[in-house]
Each structure stands twice: as C-alpha cells, then as structure tokens.
Amino acid sequence: MKLYSDDELAEILDQKIFRQISEAADKLGLECYVVGGYVRDIFLERPSSDIDVVVVGSGISVAEELKRMVGRKAHLSVFRNFGTAQVKFWQQGKEYEVEFVGARRESYSHDSRKPVVEDGTLEDDQNRRDFTINAMAICLNTSRFGELVDPFNGLADLEDGIIATPLEPTVTFSDDPLRMMRCVRFATQLNFQIEEETFEALERMADRIRIVSGERIKDELNKIIMAPHPSIGFEYLQRTGLLQIVLPELSALDIVDQKNGRAHKNNYYHTLEVLENVVKSEETPSLYLRWAALLHDVGKTKSKRWDPAAGWTFHGHNTIGARMVPVIFRRLMLPMDMKMKYVQKLVDLHMRPIAIADDIVTDSAVRRLVNDAGDDIDDLMTLCEADITSKNEVRKKIFLENFRMVREKIADLKEKDYKRLLQPVIDGNEIMELFHLKPCREVGVLKQYLKDAVLDNRVENEREPLMALLMEKAREMKLTK
C-alpha cells in the first residue's frame, strides 16, 4: 500500500468525474464525500470504477444535479424509499457507476437485517460502516477537496493488514450478521489478519448468521472461493464456528478418528489443500471447478467405516457426495442448472482416474472415463491431480506419472475425435427398427452391449463388425433366429 497526504489525494481525485460531483454538491450547498471501497483501494493502489458518495443532506439531489451536468449520456436511477440514487455514464473512455446516499443513522431489531434509518451526520454514517478500512472518507467540496476523514484509524489498520470494526464488534455483527461473512471475505481477499477482539466477536455471534438468506451467504462464499488463497477464508470460517452453520457438510470433515492405534487423515485440511492445488493449476480461475474441489470429499463423513483388516475406509464416498451436491446447492441458492450437474459429475467421478492410475493404465479404462466425463474430462483430471496430497513422495510421483499417461491417452483419443469413436454407429432407433421393438429393457441391453464393445476396443466402431456383434447378441436373447 501507499500513504498519501491530503494534497496528494486531491491530485489523485483531480479527475473530471470528481470535479463534477464537487461542483454539483457546492451548487446545492451540501457536504459531499467519496467513501468506502474506492477510498480503501486508492491506498492499496488497486483500480476501481464503482464510486460511493455520501452527502450530508439529500444524496438524490446531488445525483440529479450531476445528471443535469453530464447530460443525456448519463443514466439516472432513483430509489426514493432508500434515499439513494445511481448515475451511470461513460467519460473519457471509462464507464463510471456512482452511488449517492444521504448520510444516515441506523438502528436494528434483533431478528432482522433491515435497519430503521434516520438522517444523520458524516460521523453517524461512518459509525455504521462495517470495517475501519471501509469507513474512511475523502471530502469532495472545493474548500476541502482531498481532505481525508479517518476517525477510526482505518489507514493504520490498512497499513498493518488488520480487519477491525469501527464500533464494538458485537454491536456491528449483531446489527447486520452478514458483516461476519464480509469480515472473513475481506481478510481472505486482502490476506489480512482479523483483529483479536473482532475475531472473538465472530465466535460469540456466529449463530446470528442464521437470519441471513442463503443467497447472501452464497455471494460471500463465492468471493472467498475466488480469492487467490481461498483456504484462508475457510479456515477462518471453521475456527469461528460460521462454517458449521453455512456449510456443515464441509465442517464435519474436520475430525480424525483413531482405533487400534490407526488414524485416518484430516479430510477437512486435505480438502483445503486440494482447493489450493486447483487454484495453482488453473490458467483461468473457475468458480465451479473450485466448488467441485471444495465438495469432492463431503461424502466421507457418511461413508466412514472401520475395517479390522484395512483400517479406516470411505467406500462410495464419491457417490454419496454427488447425491449431497444438489442439497447443498439448493440451500445456498446456487444455480440448479448445468453448473450444479458439472460439480456433481466431478464429485462422482473424482475417484476414477485415481483407480486407473493405481493400476496399469489401459486403453479400455481411459475410453470409459472419457465417455463418462465427456467435455469435462480435462477439469476432472485437474481435480484428480490436485487430489494427490500424499506426503509419501515416491507414491505421489507414481500417481502423477500415471496421470500423465492417462492425459496422453486422452489427447490421443481427442485427436481421433473421441465422440465419434465412443458412440456406436448403430443407435437405439435402428435397433428398434431391426427387431420390431418398442422402447424396452431389451433395447437398452443391446445398446449397452454395443457400447461396451466399443469402449473395450473389442471391435472397431464401424457398421459391419458392430452389426455382426448385434445379431449374435440378439440371437442369444432370442430376438431373432
């Protein structure tokens, strides 16, 4: 980060957009400040185009005046019930989105995130902000242009890498429990520490998160997942008790059972390691591949068994986990479309490449894997490679070498157009026509028989050999003489 004097801040804000806001506020005789994330990001030297402006008085009137100054190219949206307005426009090759609000004082009831709002001073408005680093304001009025107003030493917290609340943290989190998720999110995105008193308040107030909708929690979880090191956030969520409420299936993995001196690994920390491995391997960040990494072992809690001969086992955890994915997505209001199906598929199939790599890598096994994974085969392989977290370097090297061979065979199939190679040229419609059948079990058996033959490479995927195989099977099933 970089520290700036008021004069230097005035120079940074010496842009047409801020001068126009300044002129509009001065014309109406109202105090006006840029606040929140835009101010924070100036000191973090991060680009930002979303501008929040607090007006001591009517924010809507300043927005309307700015609209008049900018002209027809500006779009004004007014939300009178909330006392806010938004102005969107392009200027000097850049799109701006400016939110205006009147300075206000808020009070909350215990069972709601919706505050009772009254007009207030700048101090009142800064008191209601979530964190000290988001409570800084810079004056835009001509007489004080560039003056930093920082009553809670947010600049010092920014410099020290600390997330803290402006007021007593229990009050801040009780008023709006979503701030607890935002606290963890900012700590994750910025790689900051949560201040001790604030952390203790998270632990005490965690249960308040239950009044927040799944959709709002989902938005914060997605931002944590997309951070450069998402495991930071999930560790904070687990330590504060928030994870047990918002994603209990993941939290439940944080246990190590022992029997007869034998213990299994901590599958929670393994999951975080897999998630970080996926992040490191991605060329382009992928939200739902990261979700698949996060949920790939959630079935282990329900599938865990003790076998005196083998020790702790988790047989079928991938199938159980796949069944849990829609439940989790629905509760968090994540999309119940192909994105959910994608995560479910990867959770279900994530053991398959490992099973292949633990033995001889056969063409048949790879062809079946590619058939089942389809276009998601590369993401599945990325997840499976990330899943190798063994501390046994020899075993890890063997797995990764075999995965390399699997990828080579997949690349070879792709080069030969695997979709054409893996789908038998004789389909169900032709089978029904040949044997005068309606849709029935026998048609499914014949289709699967041909598919298995193709996947196992027992015959070429060509009409003549497949027809011979089909007729032989049909005679065996007494469908023909």
Side-chain angles (χ1 to χ4, degrees), residues 69-86:
M69 292 170 62
V70 174
R72 286 185 301 172
K73 62 183 178 181
H75 177 73
L76 172 67
S77 301
V78 176
F79 310 96
R80 296 197 183 276
N81 288 345
F82 300 98
T84 64
Q86 181 189 77

PDB file of all heavy atoms in Angstrom, residues 69-86:
ATOM      1  N   MET A  69     -25.640  17.974 -15.320  1.00  0.00           N
ATOM      2  CA  MET A  69     -24.334  18.461 -15.792  1.00  0.00           C
ATOM      3  C   MET A  69     -23.757  17.554 -16.882  1.00  0.00           C
ATOM      4  O   MET A  69     -23.194  18.030 -17.863  1.00  0.00           O
ATOM      5  CB  MET A  69     -23.354  18.548 -14.614  1.00  0.00           C
ATOM      6  CG  MET A  69     -23.707  19.625 -13.603  1.00  0.00           C
ATOM      7  SD  MET A  69     -22.715  19.502 -12.094  1.00  0.00           S
ATOM      8  CE  MET A  69     -21.086  19.754 -12.748  1.00  0.00           C
ATOM      9  N   VAL A  70     -23.900  16.248 -16.686  1.00  0.00           N
ATOM     10  CA  VAL A  70     -23.325  15.293 -17.658  1.00  0.00           C
ATOM     11  C   VAL A  70     -24.151  15.254 -18.931  1.00  0.00           C
ATOM     12  O   VAL A  70     -23.616  15.103 -20.036  1.00  0.00           O
ATOM     13  CB  VAL A  70     -23.213  13.882 -17.024  1.00  0.00           C
ATOM     14  CG1 VAL A  70     -22.755  12.862 -18.062  1.00  0.00           C
ATOM     15  CG2 VAL A  70     -22.252  13.913 -15.845  1.00  0.00           C
ATOM     16  N   GLY A  71     -25.474  15.364 -18.802  1.00  0.00           N
ATOM     17  CA  GLY A  71     -26.328  15.384 -19.985  1.00  0.00           C
ATOM     18  C   GLY A  71     -26.950  14.050 -20.303  1.00  0.00           C
ATOM     19  O   GLY A  71     -27.008  13.142 -19.471  1.00  0.00           O
ATOM     20  N   ARG A  72     -27.391  13.898 -21.553  1.00  0.00           N
ATOM     21  CA  ARG A  72     -28.184  12.731 -21.959  1.00  0.00           C
ATOM     22  C   ARG A  72     -27.420  11.418 -21.872  1.00  0.00           C
ATOM     23  O   ARG A  72     -28.022  10.360 -21.741  1.00  0.00           O
ATOM     24  CB  ARG A  72     -28.691  12.931 -23.390  1.00  0.00           C
ATOM     25  CG  ARG A  72     -29.821  13.938 -23.501  1.00  0.00           C
ATOM     26  CD  ARG A  72     -30.364  13.991 -24.914  1.00  0.00           C
ATOM     27  NE  ARG A  72     -29.319  14.361 -25.864  1.00  0.00           N
ATOM     28  CZ  ARG A  72     -29.468  14.343 -27.182  1.00  0.00           C
ATOM     29  NH1 ARG A  72     -30.628  13.951 -27.708  1.00  0.00           N
ATOM     30  NH2 ARG A  72     -28.493  14.712 -27.989  1.00  0.00           N
ATOM     31  N   LYS A  73     -26.102  11.473 -21.955  1.00  0.00           N
ATOM     32  CA  LYS A  73     -25.352  10.212 -21.944  1.00  0.00           C
ATOM     33  C   LYS A  73     -25.316   9.555 -20.562  1.00  0.00           C
ATOM     34  O   LYS A  73     -24.883   8.413 -20.423  1.00  0.00           O
ATOM     35  CB  LYS A  73     -23.923  10.428 -22.444  1.00  0.00           C
ATOM     36  CG  LYS A  73     -23.091  11.376 -21.598  1.00  0.00           C
ATOM     37  CD  LYS A  73     -21.721  11.580 -22.228  1.00  0.00           C
ATOM     38  CE  LYS A  73     -20.879  12.574 -21.417  1.00  0.00           C
ATOM     39  NZ  LYS A  73     -19.559  12.783 -22.031  1.00  0.00           N
ATOM     40  N   ALA A  74     -25.775  10.266 -19.524  1.00  0.00           N
ATOM     41  CA  ALA A  74     -25.826   9.699 -18.174  1.00  0.00           C
ATOM     42  C   ALA A  74     -27.191   9.087 -17.909  1.00  0.00           C
ATOM     43  O   ALA A  74     -28.219   9.629 -18.304  1.00  0.00           O
ATOM     44  CB  ALA A  74     -25.527  10.783 -17.142  1.00  0.00           C
ATOM     45  N   HIS A  75     -27.187   7.947 -17.234  1.00  0.00           N
ATOM     46  CA  HIS A  75     -28.438   7.281 -16.852  1.00  0.00           C
ATOM     47  C   HIS A  75     -28.615   7.401 -15.344  1.00  0.00           C
ATOM     48  O   HIS A  75     -27.742   6.992 -14.562  1.00  0.00           O
ATOM     49  CB  HIS A  75     -28.406   5.806 -17.250  1.00  0.00           C
ATOM     50  CG  HIS A  75     -29.621   5.050 -16.817  1.00  0.00           C
ATOM     51  ND1 HIS A  75     -30.846   5.201 -17.422  1.00  0.00           N
ATOM     52  CD2 HIS A  75     -29.796   4.154 -15.811  1.00  0.00           C
ATOM     53  CE1 HIS A  75     -31.722   4.417 -16.821  1.00  0.00           C
ATOM     54  NE2 HIS A  75     -31.113   3.782 -15.836  1.00  0.00           N
ATOM     55  N   LEU A  76     -29.738   7.956 -14.917  1.00  0.00           N
ATOM     56  CA  LEU A  76     -30.025   8.167 -13.503  1.00  0.00           C
ATOM     57  C   LEU A  76     -31.090   7.192 -13.029  1.00  0.00           C
ATOM     58  O   LEU A  76     -32.148   7.063 -13.646  1.00  0.00           O
ATOM     59  CB  LEU A  76     -30.505   9.612 -13.277  1.00  0.00           C
ATOM     60  CG  LEU A  76     -31.039   9.952 -11.875  1.00  0.00           C
ATOM     61  CD1 LEU A  76     -29.925   9.899 -10.836  1.00  0.00           C
ATOM     62  CD2 LEU A  76     -31.717  11.318 -11.880  1.00  0.00           C
ATOM     63  N   SER A  77     -30.807   6.496 -11.923  1.00  0.00           N
ATOM     64  CA  SER A  77     -31.797   5.639 -11.270  1.00  0.00           C
ATOM     65  C   SER A  77     -31.983   6.158  -9.849  1.00  0.00           C
ATOM     66  O   SER A  77     -30.998   6.335  -9.122  1.00  0.00           O
ATOM     67  CB  SER A  77     -31.324   4.179 -11.225  1.00  0.00           C
ATOM     68  OG  SER A  77     -31.084   3.690 -12.527  1.00  0.00           O
ATOM     69  N   VAL A  78     -33.227   6.404  -9.465  1.00  0.00           N
ATOM     70  CA  VAL A  78     -33.529   6.947  -8.135  1.00  0.00           C
ATOM     71  C   VAL A  78     -34.331   5.926  -7.335  1.00  0.00           C
ATOM     72  O   VAL A  78     -35.298   5.345  -7.839  1.00  0.00           O
ATOM     73  CB  VAL A  78     -34.316   8.274  -8.249  1.00  0.00           C
ATOM     74  CG1 VAL A  78     -34.716   8.784  -6.864  1.00  0.00           C
ATOM     75  CG2 VAL A  78     -33.488   9.329  -8.978  1.00  0.00           C
ATOM     76  N   PHE A  79     -33.908   5.704  -6.089  1.00  0.00           N
ATOM     77  CA  PHE A  79     -34.597   4.771  -5.190  1.00  0.00           C
ATOM     78  C   PHE A  79     -35.019   5.558  -3.950  1.00  0.00           C
ATOM     79  O   PHE A  79     -34.333   5.559  -2.922  1.00  0.00           O
ATOM     80  CB  PHE A  79     -33.663   3.609  -4.823  1.00  0.00           C
ATOM     81  CG  PHE A  79     -33.009   2.966  -6.025  1.00  0.00           C
ATOM     82  CD1 PHE A  79     -31.729   3.344  -6.414  1.00  0.00           C
ATOM     83  CD2 PHE A  79     -33.678   2.014  -6.776  1.00  0.00           C
ATOM     84  CE1 PHE A  79     -31.122   2.768  -7.518  1.00  0.00           C
ATOM     85  CE2 PHE A  79     -33.084   1.426  -7.885  1.00  0.00           C
ATOM     86  CZ  PHE A  79     -31.806   1.812  -8.261  1.00  0.00           C
ATOM     87  N   ARG A  80     -36.158   6.244  -4.070  1.00  0.00           N
ATOM     88  CA  ARG A  80     -36.561   7.198  -3.028  1.00  0.00           C
ATOM     89  C   ARG A  80     -36.854   6.506  -1.697  1.00  0.00           C
ATOM     90  O   ARG A  80     -36.646   7.083  -0.625  1.00  0.00           O
ATOM     91  CB  ARG A  80     -37.770   8.006  -3.501  1.00  0.00           C
ATOM     92  CG  ARG A  80     -37.436   8.879  -4.705  1.00  0.00           C
ATOM     93  CD  ARG A  80     -38.452   9.975  -4.956  1.00  0.00           C
ATOM     94  NE  ARG A  80     -38.081  10.704  -6.171  1.00  0.00           N
ATOM     95  CZ  ARG A  80     -37.199  11.693  -6.204  1.00  0.00           C
ATOM     96  NH1 ARG A  80     -36.598  12.069  -5.089  1.00  0.00           N
ATOM     97  NH2 ARG A  80     -36.911  12.295  -7.343  1.00  0.00           N
ATOM     98  N   ASN A  81     -37.353   5.276  -1.746  1.00  0.00           N
ATOM     99  CA  ASN A  81     -37.637   4.564  -0.495  1.00  0.00           C
ATOM    100  C   ASN A  81     -36.389   4.361   0.351  1.00  0.00           C
ATOM    101  O   ASN A  81     -36.448   4.244   1.575  1.00  0.00           O
ATOM    102  CB  ASN A  81     -38.277   3.197  -0.784  1.00  0.00           C
ATOM    103  CG  ASN A  81     -39.703   3.330  -1.274  1.00  0.00           C
ATOM    104  OD1 ASN A  81     -40.304   4.397  -1.147  1.00  0.00           O
ATOM    105  ND2 ASN A  81     -40.250   2.258  -1.831  1.00  0.00           N
ATOM    106  N   PHE A  82     -35.232   4.264  -0.336  1.00  0.00           N
ATOM    107  CA  PHE A  82     -33.969   4.035   0.364  1.00  0.00           C
ATOM    108  C   PHE A  82     -33.123   5.309   0.461  1.00  0.00           C
ATOM    109  O   PHE A  82     -32.045   5.297   1.058  1.00  0.00           O
ATOM    110  CB  PHE A  82     -33.162   2.941  -0.351  1.00  0.00           C
ATOM    111  CG  PHE A  82     -33.877   1.620  -0.408  1.00  0.00           C
ATOM    112  CD1 PHE A  82     -34.580   1.245  -1.545  1.00  0.00           C
ATOM    113  CD2 PHE A  82     -33.864   0.763   0.677  1.00  0.00           C
ATOM    114  CE1 PHE A  82     -35.252   0.027  -1.601  1.00  0.00           C
ATOM    115  CE2 PHE A  82     -34.528  -0.449   0.638  1.00  0.00           C
ATOM    116  CZ  PHE A  82     -35.228  -0.828  -0.508  1.00  0.00           C
ATOM    117  N   GLY A  83     -33.594   6.392  -0.172  1.00  0.00           N
ATOM    118  CA  GLY A  83     -32.844   7.637  -0.139  1.00  0.00           C
ATOM    119  C   GLY A  83     -31.543   7.569  -0.915  1.00  0.00           C
ATOM    120  O   GLY A  83     -30.561   8.253  -0.587  1.00  0.00           O
ATOM    121  N   THR A  84     -31.505   6.731  -1.974  1.00  0.00           N
ATOM    122  CA  THR A  84     -30.281   6.552  -2.758  1.00  0.00           C
ATOM    123  C   THR A  84     -30.549   6.819  -4.240  1.00  0.00           C
ATOM    124  O   THR A  84     -31.696   6.795  -4.696  1.00  0.00           O
ATOM    125  CB  THR A  84     -29.723   5.123  -2.599  1.00  0.00           C
ATOM    126  OG1 THR A  84     -30.660   4.187  -3.150  1.00  0.00           O
ATOM    127  CG2 THR A  84     -29.468   4.793  -1.146  1.00  0.00           C
ATOM    128  N   ALA A  85     -29.480   7.044  -4.962  1.00  0.00           N
ATOM    129  CA  ALA A  85     -29.563   7.221  -6.419  1.00  0.00           C
ATOM    130  C   ALA A  85     -28.267   6.732  -7.039  1.00  0.00           C
ATOM    131  O   ALA A  85     -27.221   6.683  -6.387  1.00  0.00           O
ATOM    132  CB  ALA A  85     -29.809   8.686  -6.770  1.00  0.00           C
ATOM    133  N   GLN A  86     -28.358   6.362  -8.307  1.00  0.00           N
ATOM    134  CA  GLN A  86     -27.196   5.859  -9.034  1.00  0.00           C
ATOM    135  C   GLN A  86     -27.102   6.577 -10.368  1.00  0.00           C
ATOM    136  O   GLN A  86     -28.107   6.742 -11.064  1.00  0.00           O
ATOM    137  CB  GLN A  86     -27.335   4.344  -9.258  1.00  0.00           C
ATOM    138  CG  GLN A  86     -26.178   3.705  -9.993  1.00  0.00           C
ATOM    139  CD  GLN A  86     -26.496   2.259 -10.372  1.00  0.00           C
ATOM    140  OE1 GLN A  86     -27.232   2.006 -11.318  1.00  0.00           O
ATOM    141  NE2 GLN A  86     -25.962   1.327  -9.608  1.00  0.00           N
TER     142      GLN A  86
END
